[in-house]
Amino acid sequence: MLTDEQIEYGKANVKYSLQEGGHHEHNDCIRMAYEWLDAQKKTKNPTTKTRPLKHIIEKWAGRYVSTTDVDVAAFLHPEIHGTYPHFNISARLMEPSVSRLEGISEAFKQDYRDRFDPSVYSTHE
């Protein structure tokens, strides 16, 4: 799991996809985004398919996640490259196991899971 030190390094060094820079409510939001990205099948090149990744991640994790949280998570992940929302992940999304959220205290703290839509995923971890 990402440490607070790693996350602070990411926040300080990432090139944000939004002009206004970063908005982060909690470091756990970055941890949740990292776990979601980690579960995805990696491709050689970034996808051209545009998807609302932050919203997909929020519904999986049950809590608000900002676009800039996803930016930092992608920056910190050694296998992810590209810029939001065009990362090198398969267009056939993998639904991560909720066990990836164990130990992340902010997971499921808000009602986003109520809007979870399993149909966005092609496969399940």
Side-chain angles (χ1 to χ4, degrees), residues 52-87:
L53 296 180
K54 77 168 236 76
H55 298 295
I56 294 169
I57 295 167
E58 287 170 340
K59 292 171 187 172
W60 170 72
R63 193 204 192 285
Y64 173 80
V65 173
S66 69
T67 299
T68 54
D69 290 331
V70 181
D71 286 337
V72 173
F75 173 79
L76 292 171
H77 198 291
E79 298 175 341
I80 298 290
H81 58 271
T83 56
Y84 186 93
H86 304 286
F87 298 120

